[in-house]
Amino acid sequence: MKEQNLKKLNDSRAIRWGALAIVAFTMMAAYYVNDVVAPLKTMLETDLKWDSSEFGLFTGAYSFLNVFFLMLIWGGLILDRFGIRFTGKLATILMVLGTGLEYYAMTGMADATGTIWGYKVSVFVASAGYSVFGVGAEVAGITVTKMIAKWFRGKEMATAMGVQVALARVGSQAAYAVAIPMARAYEITTPVLVGLICLIGGLIAFFAFSVLDKKLDRQIEAEVDNSPEEKFSFKDVAKILSNPGFWLIALLCVLFYSCVFPFQKFASELMISKYGIDESVAGFFAGLPALGALFLTPVFGGMVDKRGKAASIMMLGAAMLIAVHCIYALPFITSSWIAIVLMIVLGIAFSLVPSAMWPSVAKIFPAHQLGTAYALIFFIQNIGLWGIPTLIGIVLDKYCVVGKANGANLYDYTLPMCIFTGIAVLSLIIAFALKVADKKFGYKLEEANIK
Ligand SMILES: NCCCC[C@H](N)C(=O)NCC(=O)O
């Protein structure tokens, strides 16, 4: 008990931010790999003969095991039972193995002629690898969020979450910016190979972080061991699920993120086909939201820490999303400048909502339920991350083909953008309901974290 009065590792600003930097690197590599295939959609169509439905299948595969095999739920339970270090290492190893398989499928199996369950062998195996990667990436995501809640509780928690998300966005933006030029200069799969190498670096980084975390655990051992509250129990799942705040955050999360991540996967092609943006920079513009979020998420995270207003901020972000998708849906607006400005606005919305949403979860649930709560929220979010790209891929192939150029289909994106607009409208309604619930149940989402 005396140890509570001693200075712990995370009391040192330099050490806790250093620890964050290490795990943030792992997540940066994860986000790079997550996004690096997306800008290559048209090249996949011409070089590897993947159609839009197959691209949608591959993109949605990220979430397939998480949704249908409940991998995120198991991950959350493992995290609360076995802790940050074990779960983080396991997740990082899965990311490396999954990406290795994806790379092998896209290189070694590219010319294979057979099919598995009606899908080209290369598409099927690459999707399987991406699915394993998706399990690792999502479990790593909840692990890192819990790590921040542990290392930064009562300190700059929202800022730290904002910084971590921002650094992850560097990975995304790098992926969008370099994928096409790198694939043109070398092989179509070189960007994936680079991601694999970065992930191996991320694995080493997580092992290094584990040394620090073990030391911190020794320092807080007395507190943890003496508190029955810290032990996870299955009853907690029921408690989390019966909390209205959980359902509202989870719904907002699936709706909001379904309008951002899956949209971005198709955005490079939208930039090229509708707005006439050059292929070499289309990925850069599709990745602009990630770049904007890089600078803005920590700023908004700091605002939430100091001023609160998290529920209002989430509403604002959702409203901006509606405007962006609605304008993209208008067939008569084809100016490349407007397309770029909309991407910047999307970047602002994409910074507002996460910087308010993730710290809000830590306010609604006690520390020992956090791993499971984040896992359940990510699980519901993954239903959207699986379903929406799959749906958009099918919609594009069935209803939106308007011609052919250089062996690839040309698509009219009006219908997909109307779908995204509809989802954004739903996200605003849920954000409003969350604000009402905050008042009713006293979650204190509108209050500052640092008083
Ligand atoms: N393209 C990255 C997918 C990450 C999904 C993850 N469950 C998540 O929502 N992370 C938080 C974030 O804002 O990126």
Side-chain angles (χ1 to χ4, degrees):
M1 276 299 160
K2 263 186 224 149
E3 269 143 284
Q4 287 175 14
N5 302 327
L6 294 178
K7 215 166 181 275
K8 297 195 292 285
L9 265 192
N10 63 334
D11 289 328
S12 152
R13 183 184 286 260
I15 298 182
R16 67 174 177 271
W17 282 99
L20 179 74
I22 297 173
V23 293
F25 174 75
T26 310
M27 291 313 290
M28 205 190 293
Y31 273 59
Y32 171 91
V33 172
N34 189 332
D35 288 320
V36 80
V37 174
L40 304 174
K41 181 177 181 296
T42 312
M43 282 181 82
L44 288 169
E45 211 162 318
T46 48
D47 296 14
L48 301 187
K49 310 286 173 245
W50 291 22
D51 62 22
S52 281
S53 303
E54 286 170 329
F55 177 79
L57 172 95
F58 171 82
T59 304
Y62 173 86
S63 300
F64 184 82
L65 292 175
N66 290 325
V67 172
F68 294 102
F69 289 78
L70 306 182
M71 296 312 275
L72 251 168
I73 309 286
W74 304 129
L77 294 176
I78 290 172
L79 174 59
D80 280 340
R81 180 90 22 214
F82 297 105
I84 291 170
R85 295 188 293 279
F86 175 81
T87 318
K89 286 175 195 165
L90 182 69
T92 322
I93 290 169
L94 284 177
M95 288 198 281
V96 171
L97 293 179
T99 308
L101 185 60
E102 178 189 326
Y103 177 69
Y104 171 69
M106 292 171 86
T107 48
M109 295 178 156
D111 298 325
T113 48
T115 57
I116 302 177
W117 293 338
Y119 296 108
K120 283 185 201 81
V121 174
S122 67
V123 175
F124 186 89
V125 180
S127 302
Y130 194 43
S131 225
V132 173
F133 164 79
V135 174
E138 288 295 305
V139 174
I142 53 172
T143 306
V144 168
T145 312
K146 188 165 179 180
M147 171 266 169
I148 297 173
K150 171 179 171 183
W151 279 69
F152 287 83
R153 187 169 286 278
K155 302 182 168 75
E156 320 88 333
M157 190 165 71
T159 313
M161 287 186 182
V163 168
Q164 185 270 310
V165 169
L167 291 173
R169 305 275 183 256
V170 177
S172 282
Q173 167 62 15
Y176 279 104
V178 304
I180 296 177
M182 199 190 283
R184 287 259 176 253
Y186 302 97
E187 303 283 325
I188 187 169
T189 50
T190 308
V192 180
L193 178 62
V194 169
L196 181 59
I197 294 166
C198 292
L199 272 181
I200 293 169
L203 178 69
I204 296 167
F206 201 91
F207 273 76
F209 159 75
S210 295
V211 177
L212 282 180
D213 192 64
K214 192 162 188 171
K215 205 164 172 193
L216 176 64
D217 264 3
R218 269 197 227 114
Q219 294 175 331
I220 56 177
E221 219 164 49
E223 292 168 33
V224 174
D225 282 350
N226 290 341
S227 163
E229 252 202 4
E230 296 293 338
K231 300 273 179 244
F232 172 83
S233 95
F234 279 93
K235 278 194 206 127
D236 287 325
V237 175
K239 274 192 203 149
I240 293 169
L241 293 179
S242 61
N243 187 331
F246 164 79
W247 287 105
L248 291 170
I249 293 258
L251 277 176
L252 177 60
C253 180
V254 62
L255 293 167
F256 179 83
Y257 278 100
S258 289
C259 292
V260 179
F261 289 138
F263 165 69
Q264 273 191 297
K265 305 276 182 185
F266 293 89
S268 303
E269 190 170 73
L270 173 75
M271 296 289 127
I272 299 166
S273 62
K274 180 170 178 189
Y275 299 97
I277 290 174
D278 190 76
E279 189 196 57
S280 59
V281 286
F284 173 81
F285 290 125
L288 267 185
L291 188 62
L294 158 66
F295 299 107
L296 294 177
T297 313
V299 175
F300 295 145
M303 269 166 51
V304 173
D305 271 338
K306 289 198 196 93
R307 304 218 173 107
K309 300 271 173 237
S312 310
I313 286 178
M314 288 187 253
M315 274 183 68
L316 177 63
M320 290 165 76
L321 209 55
I322 299 175
V324 168
H325 286 321
C326 185
I327 301 175
Y328 274 132
L330 298 175
F332 51 87
I333 295 188
T334 52
S335 150
S336 56
W337 282 109
I338 294 183
I340 293 165
V341 169
L342 289 177
M343 275 294 177
I344 294 170
V345 178
L346 182 65
I348 298 173
F350 191 31
S351 315
L352 284 170
V353 175
S355 57
M357 182 186 285
W358 301 122
S360 295
V361 180
K363 277 185 170 177
I364 297 175
F365 300 100
H368 68 286
Q369 288 176 350
L370 270 186
T372 311
Y374 280 120
L376 289 168
I377 292 169
F378 276 16
F379 167 70
I380 293 174
Q381 179 205 43
N382 268 254
I383 298 174
L385 298 188
W386 164 76
I388 300 302
T390 310
L391 173 76
I392 300 291
I394 295 169
V395 166
L396 280 173
D397 271 341
K398 275 206 164 162
Y399 306 107
C400 308
V401 179
V402 288
K404 225 169 168 68
N406 307 322
N409 283 333
L410 295 173
Y411 301 97
D412 174 359
Y413 266 86
T414 307
L415 184 54
M417 292 320 302
C418 289
I419 296 175
F420 283 122
T421 309
I423 304 172
V425 170
L426 292 178
S427 78
L428 180 61
I429 296 170
I430 299 296
F432 177 69
L434 181 62
K435 192 167 170 176
V436 174
D438 177 45
K439 273 207 184 115
K440 188 168 168 195
F441 300 106
Y443 297 134
K444 302 190 177 155
L445 303 188
E446 294 286 272
E447 288 182 18
N449 291 335
I450 300 175
K451 293 181 182 147

